[in-house]
Amino acid sequence: MATLFSKERRTIYSRKIKGFWEEFSHNKIGFFGLVLLLMFIVMAVFAPWLTPYDPITPSRVADGFAQPGWMTILPQYSDYPRTMEIFPLWEIGNGSDFVEIYPGKDVECSFYMTGETKMVDISFTTSFNYSYSVPPNRFAVTFDWVAKNLTDVRYSSKLFLVNPNGTSTRIWKEPYTDLPRSLSVIAESTDYWLLKSIGYSDPKAINLANLIFSNPIIGEYSLVFQVSFRPEEDTRMARAEISLLDFKFFIPGLVHGILGTDFAGSDVFSQLIYGTRVSLIIGLMAAAIGTSIGVLVGIVAGYVGGAVDETLMRIVDILLCLPGLPLLLTLVKLFGKNVFYVIIFIALFGWLGLARTIRSQILSIREAAFVECAVASGASRPYIMRKHLLPNIIPIALASLVLSVPGGILAEASLSFLGFGDPRVPTWGKMLNYAFGHGAFENFAWWWAIPPGIAITLVCLAFVFMGFAIDEIVNPRLRRRR
């Protein structure tokens, strides 16, 4: 009998779901909202495959405020440079008679010298082509430089960048020393102290990238790493081992990807895609928690009545009188900027209206004959609330759940925009906060400021459209009126 009943119950539920889907799929607004929501869900689930960059650990992929790559279809941006990363294969130039070298991507060699030679310069060279007529705003070089096992020798090292007309510009140097070295070098063309150390008296007035990439701009450029050795006086044998490892020459582009970059050169599209995850999670969880609290409070207050009803409704009245956003800001400040705290705080203020609505429905349902029969048969209050009252208010709760998600997303976006969001996770509100505070409007970087606002609007519209459709299905009077 139990098995038969279970099968009948499954049949009833399947028919209800099928009927609901038939009505929902014929509602154009609701179906459009569902398609829109599915698009955002796909973005959230497949974020690692849609973009190669992780915004949680951002890195510079292009110049700051680099425009979207598709902007190059416009004539004025057609020759803007894209990002170039050069990992050179070194070739030995001068001084090959004094070293044993193991050429390739990394340079490892042993220097040795005997006799009366006073100084030896050893150079390593690599080349690359720059094919854009617009010069870059900056460039950077990173490498590891090691000098060890020194015997009666002093050395210095320099890095030069040679443009197509043969003009050589020093972009890094290490003064003479006889001490072992193990350095991790990061040199940028805009670094004040670097420019000062290599001889520019007014570094602020120098754009080293524009100075080198000019007359002509297009052509073959060379990187020359030079090591100079000076043996000590009266030495018969001078030795040293040097290594140039993990060398990278980076030219950040002025155009990049689908949505360009932010002020720090980080990819905006990846922030937008990953922000979908957090915004949906916060909106859905806050709505689910708030709806659950609202249903529980509404059923208990409406069915139990008396002092319980009065106490719960007065709590609702008090919370409704409190200013929501200032109180949220205060709670986040007190407990910390954590995404789970944000969800809980948003949920705590998201159940008040639903609780009143559910209570009013329960007040009418509890007088129904089937409820009185359950009471007469000896059913307990928890059983009646769970088995008889809850199923009758599920349609209202479902519509409220869907319509509450936009409120949670907007609340999180507001907190993040004001600087009270979790700084460790990428959200659309955080994008707007950074765009507003780091010059997006001053630099007309619309690709950074506008997309998160559009995304918030679209995902909220998706839930609103679905909520209206569900409300129309579960409320026949509303359906007839429309």
Side-chain angles (χ1 to χ4, degrees):
M1 185 69 179
T3 305
L4 179 64
F5 180 77
S6 178
K7 183 177 179 181
E8 291 176 351
R9 198 168 187 177
R10 288 198 301 269
T11 302
I12 292 172
Y13 281 139
S14 65
R15 287 177 179 174
K16 287 183 177 181
I17 293 172
K18 184 177 180 181
F20 176 83
W21 171 249
E22 286 180 355
E23 290 194 53
F24 185 86
S25 61
H26 285 85
N27 188 303
K28 294 180 180 180
I29 292 180
F31 192 75
F32 175 74
L34 178 61
V35 172
L36 203 58
L37 177 61
L38 289 176
M39 182 188 73
F40 282 103
I41 292 175
V42 169
M43 289 169 58
V45 172
F46 295 98
W49 292 274
L50 292 175
T51 174
Y53 309 106
D54 184 1
I56 298 176
T57 55
S59 59
R60 176 182 287 183
V61 297
D63 203 7
F65 301 112
Q67 303 195 41
W70 52 265
M71 293 284 287
T72 54
I73 62 176
L74 302 176
Q76 61 268 40
Y77 306 115
S78 61
D79 214 26
Y80 270 37
R82 294 183 180 272
T83 297
M84 297 176 64
E85 290 184 317
I86 298 144
F87 300 93
L89 292 174
W90 296 99
E91 296 179 357
I92 189 167
N94 299 328
S96 59
D97 296 337
F98 297 92
V99 296
E100 294 178 359
I101 185 170
Y102 310 97
K105 179 181 175 181
D106 293 333
V107 172
E108 296 185 39
C109 64
S110 298
F111 165 80
Y112 59 92
M113 188 175 64
T114 60
E116 300 297 329
T117 306
K118 297 299 183 183
M119 186 173 70
V120 174
D121 291 332
I122 303 171
S123 61
F124 308 97
T125 306
T126 190
S127 300
F128 65 92
N129 285 311
Y130 187 83
S131 57
Y132 304 99
S133 61
V134 177
N137 287 335
R138 67 193 76 238
F139 61 80
V141 60
T142 59
F143 59 89
D144 291 333
W145 164 243
V146 179
K148 60 183 180 179
N149 297 332
L150 305 173
T151 303
D152 295 335
V153 67
R154 302 174 71 242
Y155 66 93
S156 72
S157 50
K158 307 178 187 67
L159 179 63
F160 298 90
L161 181 56
V162 184
N163 67 7
N165 64 10
T167 302
S168 177
T169 305
R170 187 176 63 194
I171 59 176
W172 179 80
K173 75 169 185 177
E174 179 73 11
Y176 275 100
T177 181
D178 58 358
L179 299 175
R181 292 286 193 188
S182 181
L183 303 175
S184 292
V185 177
I186 301 176
E188 294 203 22
S189 61
T190 56
D191 185 84
Y192 178 89
W193 295 109
L194 172 66
L195 294 172
K196 195 78 173 175
S197 66
I198 60 179
Y200 291 101
S201 58
D202 188 9
K204 292 183 178 180
I206 296 294
N207 187 320
L208 198 56
N210 286 344
L211 186 66
I212 296 173
F213 289 83
S214 62
N215 300 323
I217 298 174
I218 300 175
E220 184 178 270
Y221 290 75
S222 298
L223 287 163
V224 180
F225 193 88
Q226 179 180 304
V227 185
S228 299
F229 293 97
R230 288 184 179 177
E232 299 291 347
E233 294 183 3
D234 301 326
T235 185
R236 293 186 178 183
M237 177 66 70
R239 290 182 178 275
E241 293 181 14
I242 60 172
S243 301
L244 179 61
L245 310 172
D246 299 327
F247 189 100
K248 183 177 80 169
F249 189 73
F250 178 69
I251 302 176
L254 299 181
V255 292
H256 171 80
I258 298 175
L259 289 176
T261 64
D262 59 14
F263 76 105
S266 300
D267 184 64
V268 171
F269 181 68
S270 64
Q271 298 174 29
L272 186 73
I273 295 296
Y274 277 85
T276 307
R277 285 180 167 183
V278 181
S279 295
L280 286 177
I281 290 172
I282 289 176
L284 289 170
M285 290 187 67
I289 295 172
T291 301
S292 300
I293 296 174
V295 169
L296 178 62
V297 172
I299 291 177
V300 171
Y303 185 68
V304 176
V308 173
D309 181 25
E310 284 294 324
T311 302
L312 291 176
M313 288 302 100
R314 297 298 76 77
I315 292 174
V316 170
D317 291 339
I318 292 171
L319 291 177
L320 283 172
C321 293
L322 297 176
L325 184 59
L327 191 57
L328 281 175
L329 297 177
T330 304
L331 291 173
V332 171
K333 186 67 175 178
L334 289 174
F335 290 93
K337 300 177 182 179
N338 186 290
V339 66
F340 296 106
Y341 291 158
V342 171
I343 292 172
I344 293 171
F345 296 153
I346 294 173
L348 287 177
F349 294 91
W351 59 273
L352 306 175
L354 178 62
R356 282 182 168 277
T357 303
I358 297 296
R359 173 182 175 273
S360 65
Q361 291 293 319
I362 296 299
L363 288 174
S364 61
I365 295 174
R366 73 178 184 179
E367 305 298 333
F370 67 91
V371 176
E372 292 181 355
C373 289
V375 173
S377 64
S380 64
R381 283 181 174 181
Y383 180 86
I384 293 173
M385 288 188 287
R386 185 176 72 253
K387 293 292 185 178
H388 296 288
L389 300 182
L390 180 61
N392 283 278
I393 54 89
I394 281 180
I396 298 173
L398 181 60
S400 176
L401 171 67
V402 175
L403 290 171
S404 298
V405 175
I409 293 175
L410 289 172
E412 184 282 325
S414 301
L415 289 174
S416 295
F417 178 74
L418 295 173
F420 286 81
D422 191 335
R424 299 167 297 178
V425 295
T427 66
W428 293 333
K430 179 182 173 183
M431 289 180 66
L432 291 172
N433 172 266
Y434 275 40
F436 184 80
H438 292 86
F441 299 99
E442 293 85 343
N443 291 276
F444 302 102
W446 56 267
W447 56 88
W448 185 18
I450 293 179
I454 294 177
I456 293 172
T457 303
L458 290 178
V459 76
C460 290
L461 280 177
F463 282 103
V464 169
F465 288 164
M466 290 174 60
F468 284 163
I470 294 172
D471 197 17
E472 188 175 282
I473 292 169
V474 301
N475 191 340
R477 289 177 298 177
L478 185 63
R479 182 173 57 212
R480 285 196 297 269
R481 192 186 317 137
R482 291 181 180 176

